């Protein structure tokens, strides 16, 4: 069965790759396991709001951009 990445997972992977950061490094930053972080990118788990905020701040993008609700990366 083919996995379909949701907008959040695609954006998260794209932002991580832009910074040339490995999944393991992101997992350490978030204080979770490598597998848990992978599940975030594949849309297999619901990500807590505080984690979304931490990711948006880390990548300096808006929450709406991160979750796929906007094409505008700017934070307001």
């Amino acid at each position: 069965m083919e996995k379909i990445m949701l907008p959040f997972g695609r954006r998260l992977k794209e932002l991580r790759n832009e910074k040339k950061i490995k999944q393991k490094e992101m997992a350490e930053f978030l204080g979770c396991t490598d597998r848990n972080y992978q599940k975030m990118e594949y849309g297999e788990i619901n990500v807590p709001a505080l984690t979304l905020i931490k990711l948006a701040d880390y990548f300096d993008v808006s929450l709406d951009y991160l979750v796929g609700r906007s094409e505008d990366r700017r934070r307001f």
Side-chain angles (χ1 to χ4, degrees), residues 1-75:
M1 183 169 148
E2 181 180 334
K3 290 186 179 181
I4 299 171
M5 290 183 96
L6 299 173
F8 167 72
R10 281 195 307 271
R11 293 265 167 91
L12 184 57
K13 184 175 181 176
E14 171 187 299
L15 291 165
R16 178 179 59 78
N17 286 334
E18 284 176 10
K19 286 192 174 255
K20 297 178 174 49
I21 299 169
K22 296 180 180 182
Q23 286 182 338
K24 181 177 180 126
E25 294 170 296
M26 287 303 303
E28 289 171 5
F29 170 72
L30 294 173
C32 66
T33 65
D34 300 359
R35 182 66 186 125
N36 195 50
Y37 179 78
Q38 290 170 346
K39 287 180 178 184
M40 287 182 204
E41 284 193 3
Y42 285 113
E44 294 176 355
I45 60 171
N46 288 320
V47 180
L50 292 175
T51 301
L52 291 173
I53 292 167
K54 189 172 185 176
L55 287 166
D57 287 348
Y58 179 80
F59 290 114
D60 196 29
V61 297
S62 71
L63 277 172
D64 281 345
Y65 177 80
L66 184 62
V67 299
R69 292 176 47 129
S70 172
E71 294 300 315
D72 189 355
R73 287 185 176 207
R74 292 178 295 171
R75 293 171 43 172

